Amino acid sequence: DTGVSQDPRHKITKRGQNVTFRCDPISEHNRLYWYRQTLGQGPEFLTYFQNEAQLEKSRLLSDRFSAERPKGSFSTLEIQRTEQGDSAMYLCASSPPAGIFYEQYFGPGTRLTVT
Amino acid sequence: AQKITQTQPGMFVQEKEAVTLDCTYDTSDPSYGLFWYKQPSSGEMIFLIYQGSYDQQNATEGRYSLNFQKARKSANLVISASQLGDSAMYFCAMREGLETGNQFYFGTGTSLTVIP
């Protein structure tokens, strides 16, 4: 197993363009998270999937952001009409089906730069 | 109010010495979990250690231990025998409502530098 993968690793886009990121979790993991991390800050929760269902979404998440996990495997995060404030590292994490405790396994992230 | 507070933006420690990274948390939920992650300059978040709110003993994992003081709502990370490879950002995180909640809250991190 190669762990959580994210694609692309880096993305430079012009303001107003749409971008889409992909996350492939560890194969047996049914839980998937998206986070945003800006310089000097900790990861900020964006959304959570259990299998294909999007169960939680941050209230801070603009409606320009949408995420899907259509078959309960890989997930995509789309940002429409990007703004300079969207520049950040976007992290994906997955967790196995478990009881009370489960750790998150993070991917390497996608660094977005909006010019 | 911040869910997780890390008051040390940067810390220095001599190689082979021990260091404590501070973390306080805020929750009214009796069921929660506390986590520490390491983020090297490469950017990938690495899980280090976990403490559940009902755990009676402090968690330990190799050179990492978690000093859990429930009444003070603190969950400090202790790294013993520091190594040069320990230089990284360290994040404290919490998940509330372990039976139902799924959102993790992270602190702002502490940058640790190990001096040879």
Side-chain angles (χ1 to χ4, degrees), chain A residues 31 33 35 37 40-43 45 48 56 100-104 106, chain B residues 35 37 39 44-45 47 50 91 95 98-99 102-104 106-108:
Chain A
R31 306 176 196 241
Y33 298 76
Y35 293 88
Q37 185 178 23
Q41 300 295 317
F45 170 80
Y48 163 74
E56 287 192 46
I100 292 175
F101 163 62
Y102 53 85
E103 67 186 79
Q104 296 179 96
F106 281 83
Chain B
F35 302 76
Y37 286 86
Q39 188 175 41
E44 197 155 341
M45 299 282 284
F47 166 76
Y50 163 81
F91 292 96
R95 185 166 76 91
L98 288 178
E99 297 291 342
N102 293 291
Q103 183 168 161
F104 282 74
F106 283 80
T108 52

PDB file of all heavy atoms in Angstrom, chain A residues 31 33 35 37 40-43 45 48 56 100-104 106, chain B residues 35 37 39 44-45 47 50 91 95 98-99 102-104 106-108:
ATOM      1  N   ARG A  31     -13.181   6.387   5.564  1.00  0.00           N
ATOM      2  CA  ARG A  31     -13.360   7.772   6.014  1.00  0.00           C
ATOM      3  C   ARG A  31     -12.344   8.662   5.305  1.00  0.00           C
ATOM      4  O   ARG A  31     -11.171   8.307   5.205  1.00  0.00           O
ATOM      5  CB  ARG A  31     -13.167   7.883   7.516  1.00  0.00           C
ATOM      6  CG  ARG A  31     -14.036   6.922   8.328  1.00  0.00           C
ATOM      7  CD  ARG A  31     -13.719   7.022   9.787  1.00  0.00           C
ATOM      8  NE  ARG A  31     -14.234   5.899  10.552  1.00  0.00           N
ATOM      9  CZ  ARG A  31     -15.116   5.995  11.524  1.00  0.00           C
ATOM     10  NH1 ARG A  31     -15.610   7.175  11.839  1.00  0.00           N
ATOM     11  NH2 ARG A  31     -15.509   4.922  12.183  1.00  0.00           N
ATOM     12  N   TYR A  33     -11.131  12.885   4.690  1.00  0.00           N
ATOM     13  CA  TYR A  33     -11.198  14.275   5.124  1.00  0.00           C
ATOM     14  C   TYR A  33     -10.459  15.177   4.141  1.00  0.00           C
ATOM     15  O   TYR A  33      -9.443  14.784   3.587  1.00  0.00           O
ATOM     16  CB  TYR A  33     -10.507  14.457   6.476  1.00  0.00           C
ATOM     17  CG  TYR A  33     -11.085  13.689   7.636  1.00  0.00           C
ATOM     18  CD1 TYR A  33     -10.875  12.323   7.778  1.00  0.00           C
ATOM     19  CD2 TYR A  33     -11.831  14.345   8.607  1.00  0.00           C
ATOM     20  CE1 TYR A  33     -11.397  11.639   8.854  1.00  0.00           C
ATOM     21  CE2 TYR A  33     -12.356  13.665   9.682  1.00  0.00           C
ATOM     22  CZ  TYR A  33     -12.128  12.306   9.804  1.00  0.00           C
ATOM     23  OH  TYR A  33     -12.643  11.625  10.871  1.00  0.00           O
ATOM     24  N   TYR A  35      -8.712  19.097   4.240  1.00  0.00           N
ATOM     25  CA  TYR A  35      -8.289  20.213   5.071  1.00  0.00           C
ATOM     26  C   TYR A  35      -7.623  21.274   4.195  1.00  0.00           C
ATOM     27  O   TYR A  35      -7.095  20.969   3.126  1.00  0.00           O
ATOM     28  CB  TYR A  35      -7.250  19.780   6.118  1.00  0.00           C
ATOM     29  CG  TYR A  35      -7.758  18.853   7.192  1.00  0.00           C
ATOM     30  CD1 TYR A  35      -7.753  17.475   7.010  1.00  0.00           C
ATOM     31  CD2 TYR A  35      -8.229  19.364   8.397  1.00  0.00           C
ATOM     32  CE1 TYR A  35      -8.202  16.626   8.007  1.00  0.00           C
ATOM     33  CE2 TYR A  35      -8.678  18.515   9.396  1.00  0.00           C
ATOM     34  CZ  TYR A  35      -8.660  17.152   9.190  1.00  0.00           C
ATOM     35  OH  TYR A  35      -9.106  16.323  10.183  1.00  0.00           O
ATOM     36  N   GLN A  37      -4.606  24.290   4.696  1.00  0.00           N
ATOM     37  CA  GLN A  37      -3.569  24.779   5.602  1.00  0.00           C
ATOM     38  C   GLN A  37      -2.856  25.963   4.969  1.00  0.00           C
ATOM     39  O   GLN A  37      -2.292  25.850   3.881  1.00  0.00           O
ATOM     40  CB  GLN A  37      -2.554  23.681   5.934  1.00  0.00           C
ATOM     41  CG  GLN A  37      -1.535  24.099   6.971  1.00  0.00           C
ATOM     42  CD  GLN A  37      -0.560  22.989   7.330  1.00  0.00           C
ATOM     43  OE1 GLN A  37      -0.341  22.063   6.567  1.00  0.00           O
ATOM     44  NE2 GLN A  37       0.032  23.088   8.520  1.00  0.00           N
ATOM     45  N   GLY A  40       1.899  29.003   8.411  1.00  0.00           N
ATOM     46  CA  GLY A  40       1.931  29.355   9.829  1.00  0.00           C
ATOM     47  C   GLY A  40       0.714  28.924  10.615  1.00  0.00           C
ATOM     48  O   GLY A  40       0.581  29.269  11.794  1.00  0.00           O
ATOM     49  N   GLN A  41      -0.168  28.184   9.986  1.00  0.00           N
ATOM     50  CA  GLN A  41      -1.384  27.730  10.646  1.00  0.00           C
ATOM     51  C   GLN A  41      -1.484  26.216  10.627  1.00  0.00           C
ATOM     52  O   GLN A  41      -0.819  25.541   9.836  1.00  0.00           O
ATOM     53  CB  GLN A  41      -2.624  28.312   9.961  1.00  0.00           C
ATOM     54  CG  GLN A  41      -2.684  29.825   9.966  1.00  0.00           C
ATOM     55  CD  GLN A  41      -2.819  30.397  11.361  1.00  0.00           C
ATOM     56  OE1 GLN A  41      -3.581  29.900  12.181  1.00  0.00           O
ATOM     57  NE2 GLN A  41      -2.052  31.435  11.655  1.00  0.00           N
ATOM     58  N   GLY A  42      -2.339  25.688  11.499  1.00  0.00           N
ATOM     59  CA  GLY A  42      -2.622  24.280  11.459  1.00  0.00           C
ATOM     60  C   GLY A  42      -3.670  23.976  10.403  1.00  0.00           C
ATOM     61  O   GLY A  42      -4.324  24.891   9.881  1.00  0.00           O
ATOM     62  N   PRO A  43      -3.839  22.718  10.072  1.00  0.00           N
ATOM     63  CA  PRO A  43      -4.877  22.345   9.106  1.00  0.00           C
ATOM     64  C   PRO A  43      -6.259  22.766   9.595  1.00  0.00           C
ATOM     65  O   PRO A  43      -6.583  22.626  10.773  1.00  0.00           O
ATOM     66  CB  PRO A  43      -4.756  20.823   9.042  1.00  0.00           C
ATOM     67  CG  PRO A  43      -3.358  20.532   9.457  1.00  0.00           C
ATOM     68  CD  PRO A  43      -3.038  21.559  10.489  1.00  0.00           C
ATOM     69  N   PHE A  45     -10.284  22.150   9.036  1.00  0.00           N
ATOM     70  CA  PHE A  45     -11.211  21.170   8.506  1.00  0.00           C
ATOM     71  C   PHE A  45     -12.110  21.793   7.443  1.00  0.00           C
ATOM     72  O   PHE A  45     -12.654  22.872   7.619  1.00  0.00           O
ATOM     73  CB  PHE A  45     -12.068  20.617   9.654  1.00  0.00           C
ATOM     74  CG  PHE A  45     -13.236  19.771   9.226  1.00  0.00           C
ATOM     75  CD1 PHE A  45     -13.049  18.447   8.884  1.00  0.00           C
ATOM     76  CD2 PHE A  45     -14.512  20.304   9.172  1.00  0.00           C
ATOM     77  CE1 PHE A  45     -14.133  17.659   8.505  1.00  0.00           C
ATOM     78  CE2 PHE A  45     -15.604  19.529   8.789  1.00  0.00           C
ATOM     79  CZ  PHE A  45     -15.400  18.201   8.453  1.00  0.00           C
ATOM     80  N   TYR A  48     -15.907  16.110   5.397  1.00  0.00           N
ATOM     81  CA  TYR A  48     -15.678  14.721   5.788  1.00  0.00           C
ATOM     82  C   TYR A  48     -16.635  13.801   5.041  1.00  0.00           C
ATOM     83  O   TYR A  48     -17.820  14.092   4.911  1.00  0.00           O
ATOM     84  CB  TYR A  48     -15.888  14.579   7.291  1.00  0.00           C
ATOM     85  CG  TYR A  48     -16.076  13.156   7.770  1.00  0.00           C
ATOM     86  CD1 TYR A  48     -15.000  12.285   7.844  1.00  0.00           C
ATOM     87  CD2 TYR A  48     -17.334  12.692   8.158  1.00  0.00           C
ATOM     88  CE1 TYR A  48     -15.171  10.987   8.287  1.00  0.00           C
ATOM     89  CE2 TYR A  48     -17.508  11.396   8.602  1.00  0.00           C
ATOM     90  CZ  TYR A  48     -16.427  10.544   8.670  1.00  0.00           C
ATOM     91  OH  TYR A  48     -16.578   9.255   9.111  1.00  0.00           O
ATOM     92  N   GLU A  56     -20.118  15.741   6.926  1.00  0.00           N
ATOM     93  CA  GLU A  56     -19.870  17.013   7.602  1.00  0.00           C
ATOM     94  C   GLU A  56     -19.186  17.976   6.652  1.00  0.00           C
ATOM     95  O   GLU A  56     -18.383  17.575   5.818  1.00  0.00           O
ATOM     96  CB  GLU A  56     -19.011  16.818   8.862  1.00  0.00           C
ATOM     97  CG  GLU A  56     -19.746  16.173  10.005  1.00  0.00           C
ATOM     98  CD  GLU A  56     -18.988  16.244  11.310  1.00  0.00           C
ATOM     99  OE1 GLU A  56     -18.470  17.317  11.651  1.00  0.00           O
ATOM    100  OE2 GLU A  56     -18.922  15.204  12.002  1.00  0.00           O
ATOM    101  N   ILE A 100     -13.816   3.745  18.445  1.00  0.00           N
ATOM    102  CA  ILE A 100     -13.704   5.105  18.967  1.00  0.00           C
ATOM    103  C   ILE A 100     -12.459   5.804  18.435  1.00  0.00           C
ATOM    104  O   ILE A 100     -12.489   6.958  18.040  1.00  0.00           O
ATOM    105  CB  ILE A 100     -13.687   5.064  20.505  1.00  0.00           C
ATOM    106  CG1 ILE A 100     -15.055   4.611  21.024  1.00  0.00           C
ATOM    107  CG2 ILE A 100     -13.325   6.419  21.080  1.00  0.00           C
ATOM    108  CD1 ILE A 100     -15.120   4.430  22.512  1.00  0.00           C
ATOM    109  N   PHE A 101     -11.375   5.079  18.433  1.00  0.00           N
ATOM    110  CA  PHE A 101     -10.130   5.726  18.064  1.00  0.00           C
ATOM    111  C   PHE A 101      -9.757   5.400  16.632  1.00  0.00           C
ATOM    112  O   PHE A 101      -9.792   4.255  16.224  1.00  0.00           O
ATOM    113  CB  PHE A 101      -8.998   5.261  18.967  1.00  0.00           C
ATOM    114  CG  PHE A 101      -7.631   5.549  18.415  1.00  0.00           C
ATOM    115  CD1 PHE A 101      -7.223   6.849  18.181  1.00  0.00           C
ATOM    116  CD2 PHE A 101      -6.764   4.520  18.102  1.00  0.00           C
ATOM    117  CE1 PHE A 101      -5.974   7.122  17.653  1.00  0.00           C
ATOM    118  CE2 PHE A 101      -5.507   4.781  17.581  1.00  0.00           C
ATOM    119  CZ  PHE A 101      -5.114   6.075  17.355  1.00  0.00           C
ATOM    120  N   TYR A 102      -9.397   6.378  15.874  1.00  0.00           N
ATOM    121  CA  TYR A 102      -8.755   6.123  14.604  1.00  0.00           C
ATOM    122  C   TYR A 102      -7.865   7.303  14.279  1.00  0.00           C
ATOM    123  O   TYR A 102      -8.231   8.447  14.457  1.00  0.00           O
ATOM    124  CB  TYR A 102      -9.769   5.879  13.489  1.00  0.00           C
ATOM    125  CG  TYR A 102     -10.828   6.940  13.312  1.00  0.00           C
ATOM    126  CD1 TYR A 102     -10.590   8.080  12.536  1.00  0.00           C
ATOM    127  CD2 TYR A 102     -12.073   6.801  13.901  1.00  0.00           C
ATOM    128  CE1 TYR A 102     -11.564   9.039  12.364  1.00  0.00           C
ATOM    129  CE2 TYR A 102     -13.048   7.761  13.735  1.00  0.00           C
ATOM    130  CZ  TYR A 102     -12.790   8.881  12.960  1.00  0.00           C
ATOM    131  OH  TYR A 102     -13.764   9.827  12.803  1.00  0.00           O
ATOM    132  N   GLU A 103      -6.701   6.983  13.812  1.00  0.00           N
ATOM    133  CA  GLU A 103      -5.788   8.047  13.400  1.00  0.00           C
ATOM    134  C   GLU A 103      -6.025   8.349  11.939  1.00  0.00           C
ATOM    135  O   GLU A 103      -6.573   7.542  11.199  1.00  0.00           O
ATOM    136  CB  GLU A 103      -4.343   7.631  13.619  1.00  0.00           C
ATOM    137  CG  GLU A 103      -3.885   6.488  12.716  1.00  0.00           C
ATOM    138  CD  GLU A 103      -2.497   6.008  13.057  1.00  0.00           C
ATOM    139  OE1 GLU A 103      -2.374   5.257  14.039  1.00  0.00           O
ATOM    140  OE2 GLU A 103      -1.574   6.387  12.333  1.00  0.00           O
ATOM    141  N   GLN A 104      -5.624   9.529  11.557  1.00  0.00           N
ATOM    142  CA  GLN A 104      -5.740   9.939  10.175  1.00  0.00           C
ATOM    143  C   GLN A 104      -4.394   9.780   9.491  1.00  0.00           C
ATOM    144  O   GLN A 104      -3.371  10.122  10.060  1.00  0.00           O
ATOM    145  CB  GLN A 104      -6.159  11.396  10.089  1.00  0.00           C
ATOM    146  CG  GLN A 104      -7.532  11.671  10.645  1.00  0.00           C
ATOM    147  CD  GLN A 104      -7.853  13.145  10.549  1.00  0.00           C
ATOM    148  OE1 GLN A 104      -8.497  13.605   9.627  1.00  0.00           O
ATOM    149  NE2 GLN A 104      -7.386  13.894  11.518  1.00  0.00           N
ATOM    150  N   PHE A 106      -2.359  11.149   6.380  1.00  0.00           N
ATOM    151  CA  PHE A 106      -2.405  12.295   5.492  1.00  0.00           C
ATOM    152  C   PHE A 106      -1.656  12.036   4.192  1.00  0.00           C
ATOM    153  O   PHE A 106      -0.647  11.329   4.150  1.00  0.00           O
ATOM    154  CB  PHE A 106      -1.787  13.521   6.172  1.00  0.00           C
ATOM    155  CG  PHE A 106      -2.708  14.198   7.150  1.00  0.00           C
ATOM    156  CD1 PHE A 106      -2.836  13.721   8.444  1.00  0.00           C
ATOM    157  CD2 PHE A 106      -3.450  15.306   6.771  1.00  0.00           C
ATOM    158  CE1 PHE A 106      -3.686  14.338   9.345  1.00  0.00           C
ATOM    159  CE2 PHE A 106      -4.302  15.937   7.665  1.00  0.00           C
ATOM    160  CZ  PHE A 106      -4.420  15.444   8.958  1.00  0.00           C
TER     161      PHE A 106
ATOM    162  N   PHE B  35      -4.609  14.270  19.833  1.00  0.00           N
ATOM    163  CA  PHE B  35      -3.624  13.731  18.909  1.00  0.00           C
ATOM    164  C   PHE B  35      -2.459  14.712  18.779  1.00  0.00           C
ATOM    165  O   PHE B  35      -2.639  15.921  18.869  1.00  0.00           O
ATOM    166  CB  PHE B  35      -4.227  13.548  17.510  1.00  0.00           C
ATOM    167  CG  PHE B  35      -5.444  12.659  17.456  1.00  0.00           C
ATOM    168  CD1 PHE B  35      -6.683  13.117  17.886  1.00  0.00           C
ATOM    169  CD2 PHE B  35      -5.356  11.372  16.958  1.00  0.00           C
ATOM    170  CE1 PHE B  35      -7.813  12.309  17.830  1.00  0.00           C
ATOM    171  CE2 PHE B  35      -6.478  10.559  16.890  1.00  0.00           C
ATOM    172  CZ  PHE B  35      -7.704  11.015  17.328  1.00  0.00           C
ATOM    173  N   TYR B  37       0.642  15.475  15.903  1.00  0.00           N
ATOM    174  CA  TYR B  37       1.176  15.196  14.578  1.00  0.00           C
ATOM    175  C   TYR B  37       2.466  15.968  14.388  1.00  0.00           C
ATOM    176  O   TYR B  37       2.646  17.071  14.913  1.00  0.00           O
ATOM    177  CB  TYR B  37       0.184  15.631  13.491  1.00  0.00           C
ATOM    178  CG  TYR B  37      -1.007  14.727  13.340  1.00  0.00           C
ATOM    179  CD1 TYR B  37      -2.132  14.903  14.139  1.00  0.00           C
ATOM    180  CD2 TYR B  37      -1.022  13.703  12.405  1.00  0.00           C
ATOM    181  CE1 TYR B  37      -3.236  14.069  14.015  1.00  0.00           C
ATOM    182  CE2 TYR B  37      -2.118  12.870  12.267  1.00  0.00           C
ATOM    183  CZ  TYR B  37      -3.217  13.062  13.076  1.00  0.00           C
ATOM    184  OH  TYR B  37      -4.300  12.239  12.954  1.00  0.00           O
ATOM    185  N   GLN B  39       4.963  17.561  11.363  1.00  0.00           N
ATOM    186  CA  GLN B  39       4.983  17.966   9.957  1.00  0.00           C
ATOM    187  C   GLN B  39       6.383  18.448   9.598  1.00  0.00           C
ATOM    188  O   GLN B  39       6.749  19.593   9.867  1.00  0.00           O
ATOM    189  CB  GLN B  39       3.945  19.052   9.673  1.00  0.00           C
ATOM    190  CG  GLN B  39       3.781  19.371   8.187  1.00  0.00           C
ATOM    191  CD  GLN B  39       2.672  20.367   7.898  1.00  0.00           C
ATOM    192  OE1 GLN B  39       2.502  21.344   8.624  1.00  0.00           O
ATOM    193  NE2 GLN B  39       1.896  20.120   6.858  1.00  0.00           N
ATOM    194  N   GLU B  44       4.317  16.545   4.783  1.00  0.00           N
ATOM    195  CA  GLU B  44       3.378  15.482   5.117  1.00  0.00           C
ATOM    196  C   GLU B  44       3.156  15.391   6.625  1.00  0.00           C
ATOM    197  O   GLU B  44       4.085  15.454   7.405  1.00  0.00           O
ATOM    198  CB  GLU B  44       3.911  14.147   4.588  1.00  0.00           C
ATOM    199  CG  GLU B  44       2.862  13.067   4.500  1.00  0.00           C
ATOM    200  CD  GLU B  44       3.215  12.027   3.457  1.00  0.00           C
ATOM    201  OE1 GLU B  44       4.037  12.310   2.576  1.00  0.00           O
ATOM    202  OE2 GLU B  44       2.637  10.926   3.516  1.00  0.00           O
ATOM    203  N   MET B  45       1.915  15.263   7.035  1.00  0.00           N
ATOM    204  CA  MET B  45       1.557  15.154   8.456  1.00  0.00           C
ATOM    205  C   MET B  45       1.745  13.709   8.910  1.00  0.00           C
ATOM    206  O   MET B  45       1.214  12.783   8.292  1.00  0.00           O
ATOM    207  CB  MET B  45       0.101  15.550   8.669  1.00  0.00           C
ATOM    208  CG  MET B  45      -0.220  16.973   8.286  1.00  0.00           C
ATOM    209  SD  MET B  45       0.309  18.139   9.525  1.00  0.00           S
ATOM    210  CE  MET B  45      -0.952  17.914  10.755  1.00  0.00           C
ATOM    211  N   PHE B  47       1.330  11.056  12.094  1.00  0.00           N
ATOM    212  CA  PHE B  47       0.718  10.806  13.401  1.00  0.00           C
ATOM    213  C   PHE B  47       1.776  10.328  14.398  1.00  0.00           C
ATOM    214  O   PHE B  47       2.610   9.476  14.079  1.00  0.00           O
ATOM    215  CB  PHE B  47      -0.375   9.755  13.259  1.00  0.00           C
ATOM    216  CG  PHE B  47      -0.844   9.185  14.554  1.00  0.00           C
ATOM    217  CD1 PHE B  47      -1.681   9.915  15.383  1.00  0.00           C
ATOM    218  CD2 PHE B  47      -0.447   7.923  14.966  1.00  0.00           C
ATOM    219  CE1 PHE B  47      -2.125   9.394  16.587  1.00  0.00           C
ATOM    220  CE2 PHE B  47      -0.876   7.397  16.164  1.00  0.00           C
ATOM    221  CZ  PHE B  47      -1.719   8.126  16.978  1.00  0.00           C
ATOM    222  N   TYR B  50      -1.694   9.323  20.557  1.00  0.00           N
ATOM    223  CA  TYR B  50      -3.111   9.570  20.821  1.00  0.00           C
ATOM    224  C   TYR B  50      -3.414   9.374  22.309  1.00  0.00           C
ATOM    225  O   TYR B  50      -2.853   8.479  22.955  1.00  0.00           O
ATOM    226  CB  TYR B  50      -3.957   8.586  20.020  1.00  0.00           C
ATOM    227  CG  TYR B  50      -5.391   8.464  20.493  1.00  0.00           C
ATOM    228  CD1 TYR B  50      -6.345   9.395  20.114  1.00  0.00           C
ATOM    229  CD2 TYR B  50      -5.784   7.413  21.326  1.00  0.00           C
ATOM    230  CE1 TYR B  50      -7.654   9.291  20.551  1.00  0.00           C
ATOM    231  CE2 TYR B  50      -7.092   7.306  21.766  1.00  0.00           C
ATOM    232  CZ  TYR B  50      -8.025   8.247  21.366  1.00  0.00           C
ATOM    233  OH  TYR B  50      -9.310   8.148  21.809  1.00  0.00           O
ATOM    234  N   PHE B  91       1.896  19.641  15.672  1.00  0.00           N
ATOM    235  CA  PHE B  91       0.523  20.100  15.836  1.00  0.00           C
ATOM    236  C   PHE B  91      -0.220  19.221  16.827  1.00  0.00           C
ATOM    237  O   PHE B  91      -0.162  17.983  16.746  1.00  0.00           O
ATOM    238  CB  PHE B  91      -0.223  20.076  14.499  1.00  0.00           C
ATOM    239  CG  PHE B  91       0.272  21.091  13.514  1.00  0.00           C
ATOM    240  CD1 PHE B  91       1.197  20.741  12.545  1.00  0.00           C
ATOM    241  CD2 PHE B  91      -0.186  22.399  13.562  1.00  0.00           C
ATOM    242  CE1 PHE B  91       1.659  21.677  11.639  1.00  0.00           C
ATOM    243  CE2 PHE B  91       0.266  23.343  12.658  1.00  0.00           C
ATOM    244  CZ  PHE B  91       1.195  22.974  11.698  1.00  0.00           C
ATOM    245  N   ARG B  95     -10.416  15.629  18.595  1.00  0.00           N
ATOM    246  CA  ARG B  95     -11.697  15.245  17.995  1.00  0.00           C
ATOM    247  C   ARG B  95     -12.700  15.105  19.120  1.00  0.00           C
ATOM    248  O   ARG B  95     -12.463  14.369  20.074  1.00  0.00           O
ATOM    249  CB  ARG B  95     -11.576  13.949  17.214  1.00  0.00           C
ATOM    250  CG  ARG B  95     -12.861  13.583  16.469  1.00  0.00           C
ATOM    251  CD  ARG B  95     -12.605  12.510  15.447  1.00  0.00           C
ATOM    252  NE  ARG B  95     -12.453  11.194  16.021  1.00  0.00           N
ATOM    253  CZ  ARG B  95     -13.435  10.326  16.220  1.00  0.00           C
ATOM    254  NH1 ARG B  95     -14.661  10.643  15.878  1.00  0.00           N
ATOM    255  NH2 ARG B  95     -13.196   9.139  16.736  1.00  0.00           N
ATOM    256  N   LEU B  98     -16.440  11.452  20.419  1.00  0.00           N
ATOM    257  CA  LEU B  98     -15.813  10.329  19.734  1.00  0.00           C
ATOM    258  C   LEU B  98     -16.826   9.338  19.177  1.00  0.00           C
ATOM    259  O   LEU B  98     -16.546   8.618  18.231  1.00  0.00           O
ATOM    260  CB  LEU B  98     -14.839   9.623  20.673  1.00  0.00           C
ATOM    261  CG  LEU B  98     -13.561  10.392  20.968  1.00  0.00           C
ATOM    262  CD1 LEU B  98     -12.687   9.631  21.953  1.00  0.00           C
ATOM    263  CD2 LEU B  98     -12.784  10.696  19.715  1.00  0.00           C
ATOM    264  N   GLU B  99     -17.996   9.277  19.765  1.00  0.00           N
ATOM    265  CA  GLU B  99     -18.996   8.336  19.263  1.00  0.00           C
ATOM    266  C   GLU B  99     -19.684   8.859  18.017  1.00  0.00           C
ATOM    267  O   GLU B  99     -20.197   8.099  17.212  1.00  0.00           O
ATOM    268  CB  GLU B  99     -20.051   8.062  20.346  1.00  0.00           C
ATOM    269  CG  GLU B  99     -19.493   7.393  21.590  1.00  0.00           C
ATOM    270  CD  GLU B  99     -19.049   5.968  21.337  1.00  0.00           C
ATOM    271  OE1 GLU B  99     -19.461   5.383  20.334  1.00  0.00           O
ATOM    272  OE2 GLU B  99     -18.262   5.450  22.138  1.00  0.00           O
ATOM    273  N   ASN B 102     -16.836  13.886  13.950  1.00  0.00           N
ATOM    274  CA  ASN B 102     -15.808  13.525  12.994  1.00  0.00           C
ATOM    275  C   ASN B 102     -14.855  14.664  12.669  1.00  0.00           C
ATOM    276  O   ASN B 102     -13.929  14.478  11.910  1.00  0.00           O
ATOM    277  CB  ASN B 102     -16.457  13.038  11.700  1.00  0.00           C
ATOM    278  CG  ASN B 102     -17.189  11.738  11.904  1.00  0.00           C
ATOM    279  OD1 ASN B 102     -16.570  10.706  12.120  1.00  0.00           O
ATOM    280  ND2 ASN B 102     -18.501  11.793  11.880  1.00  0.00           N
ATOM    281  N   GLN B 103     -15.105  15.842  13.229  1.00  0.00           N
ATOM    282  CA  GLN B 103     -14.272  16.982  12.880  1.00  0.00           C
ATOM    283  C   GLN B 103     -13.078  17.055  13.815  1.00  0.00           C
ATOM    284  O   GLN B 103     -13.224  16.986  15.027  1.00  0.00           O
ATOM    285  CB  GLN B 103     -15.088  18.267  12.960  1.00  0.00           C
ATOM    286  CG  GLN B 103     -14.321  19.487  12.538  1.00  0.00           C
ATOM    287  CD  GLN B 103     -15.195  20.705  12.330  1.00  0.00           C
ATOM    288  OE1 GLN B 103     -14.712  21.809  12.323  1.00  0.00           O
ATOM    289  NE2 GLN B 103     -16.477  20.530  12.160  1.00  0.00           N
ATOM    290  N   PHE B 104     -11.919  17.211  13.229  1.00  0.00           N
ATOM    291  CA  PHE B 104     -10.693  17.402  13.975  1.00  0.00           C
ATOM    292  C   PHE B 104     -10.367  18.891  14.030  1.00  0.00           C
ATOM    293  O   PHE B 104     -10.505  19.606  13.050  1.00  0.00           O
ATOM    294  CB  PHE B 104      -9.523  16.686  13.296  1.00  0.00           C
ATOM    295  CG  PHE B 104      -9.474  15.207  13.528  1.00  0.00           C
ATOM    296  CD1 PHE B 104     -10.359  14.355  12.890  1.00  0.00           C
ATOM    297  CD2 PHE B 104      -8.530  14.655  14.376  1.00  0.00           C
ATOM    298  CE1 PHE B 104     -10.307  12.998  13.094  1.00  0.00           C
ATOM    299  CE2 PHE B 104      -8.462  13.281  14.583  1.00  0.00           C
ATOM    300  CZ  PHE B 104      -9.351  12.447  13.937  1.00  0.00           C
ATOM    301  N   PHE B 106      -7.243  21.531  14.881  1.00  0.00           N
ATOM    302  CA  PHE B 106      -5.792  21.596  15.027  1.00  0.00           C
ATOM    303  C   PHE B 106      -5.379  22.930  15.643  1.00  0.00           C
ATOM    304  O   PHE B 106      -6.017  23.958  15.413  1.00  0.00           O
ATOM    305  CB  PHE B 106      -5.108  21.463  13.663  1.00  0.00           C
ATOM    306  CG  PHE B 106      -5.073  20.062  13.133  1.00  0.00           C
ATOM    307  CD1 PHE B 106      -6.186  19.509  12.518  1.00  0.00           C
ATOM    308  CD2 PHE B 106      -3.929  19.289  13.244  1.00  0.00           C
ATOM    309  CE1 PHE B 106      -6.165  18.212  12.025  1.00  0.00           C
ATOM    310  CE2 PHE B 106      -3.895  17.989  12.746  1.00  0.00           C
ATOM    311  CZ  PHE B 106      -5.014  17.459  12.143  1.00  0.00           C
ATOM    312  N   GLY B 107      -4.264  22.901  16.388  1.00  0.00           N
ATOM    313  CA  GLY B 107      -3.668  24.132  16.873  1.00  0.00           C
ATOM    314  C   GLY B 107      -2.813  24.771  15.797  1.00  0.00           C
ATOM    315  O   GLY B 107      -2.712  24.267  14.667  1.00  0.00           O
ATOM    316  N   THR B 108      -2.174  25.878  16.159  1.00  0.00           N
ATOM    317  CA  THR B 108      -1.356  26.619  15.192  1.00  0.00           C
ATOM    318  C   THR B 108       0.054  26.064  15.069  1.00  0.00           C
ATOM    319  O   THR B 108       0.801  26.484  14.191  1.00  0.00           O
ATOM    320  CB  THR B 108      -1.275  28.096  15.576  1.00  0.00           C
ATOM    321  OG1 THR B 108      -0.855  28.194  16.940  1.00  0.00           O
ATOM    322  CG2 THR B 108      -2.631  28.782  15.412  1.00  0.00           C
TER     323      THR B 108
END
